[in-house]
Each structure stands twice: as structure tokens, then as C-alpha cells.
Amino acid sequence: MLTNNSLVLKKATFSLALGWTLLIAVLCLLKFTNLPAIRVSGADKYVHFTLHFVFTMLWGYYFWLKLNEIVLKKIVFVVTSSLCYGILIEILQETFTTTRHADIFDVLANFSGALVALVLFVLIKRHKIANK
């Protein structure tokens, strides 16, 4: 039975996931001036990893709520979507910006974040099955 609370949670999760998806585009395509320089080697890759880890967690959680269970096929779809979205962003950076360039290592960092989220969903599903 669908309660008002679960409907509100689904809508909120969908809104967060959609907002996060748009935030990725904004952060990756717009030029930001006067930002402090981060002096950590590979910091950009950590950012890409985190952006796509959260992307996959939010969309995966939305599908979990929508289907009332963790369906790994849906999570794999989200991971694939994350990969395609990351590649699209890199192409758009190379094509439409003058300050950003496509980087295969950004795509790998994106994909790594999504894969770690997939592993987390697999572990959660196994835990839920083991505790039934």
C-alpha cells in the first residue's frame, strides 16, 4: 500500500536525483572564476568520482523506492546511464567550452564512482536477503 509518506519520499528522491543530474552539468560546463586552487593531486578525479557515486546512489534509491525492492537490473541501467552521461558531458566540454577539455580519465573516475555505488547496492541487497 502506498502511503503519503512513501509518495513524498519518492517525489523528494526523484527531485534530488534530477537536481543532482543538472548540478553535474552546471559544474562541468560552466566556467567558475575566483575559485580557490586545490593543491591536491588528482582532486578533479575525486570530484568526478563523487559526482557519479551520488548520481548512482540517488537514482538507484529512487528506483528502489519505486519498485519497493533493489532490482540490480535497474541499478545496472543507472550505472550505464551515468557512464553515458559522463561521456556526453566530456564531449560537450570539448565542443562547447573554451576552458574545459574532454578527458578519458574523468570518464574513468565517473565510472568508478558509479561502480562503487553498484557494489554498495549489491551488498545492501545481499544483506536484506540474508536477514529475511
Side-chain angles (χ1 to χ4, degrees):
M1 183 171 143
L2 192 62
T3 65
N4 279 342
N5 286 342
S6 64
L7 186 58
V8 168
L9 183 58
K10 277 185 208 174
K11 286 183 177 186
T13 303
F14 178 81
S15 296
L16 280 171
L18 186 59
W20 191 262
T21 302
L22 295 173
L23 179 66
I24 290 172
V26 168
L27 292 175
C28 292
L29 295 174
L30 294 182
K31 179 181 178 184
F32 294 94
T33 56
N34 300 327
L35 290 177
I38 299 174
R39 303 272 187 236
V40 176
S41 177
D44 175 55
K45 304 311 175 241
Y46 295 119
V47 169
H48 281 271
F49 176 96
T50 302
L51 289 173
H52 286 265
F53 173 81
V54 173
F55 174 97
T56 304
M57 292 302 297
L58 287 171
W59 283 112
Y61 186 57
Y62 168 72
F63 283 115
W64 179 1
L65 292 172
K66 184 176 180 180
L67 302 171
N68 204 28
E69 69 176 303
I70 297 174
V71 178
L72 293 180
K73 197 174 201 179
K74 285 290 185 186
I75 306 301
V76 169
F77 169 76
V78 172
V79 169
T80 304
S81 298
S82 171
L83 176 62
C84 292
Y85 189 54
I87 291 169
L88 175 64
I89 293 289
E90 292 301 316
I91 291 168
L92 293 173
Q93 283 180 338
E94 188 66 37
T95 306
F96 295 109
T97 71
T98 57
T99 57
R100 310 262 175 126
H101 300 285
D103 183 354
I104 189 67
F105 294 109
D106 287 348
V107 173
L108 292 174
N110 298 342
F111 191 52
S112 297
L115 286 177
V116 169
L118 170 67
V119 169
L120 189 55
F121 276 110
V122 168
L123 294 173
I124 292 168
K125 184 172 179 80
R126 283 187 183 165
H127 179 74
K128 289 179 78 57
I129 290 171
N131 288 327
K132 279 189 177 182

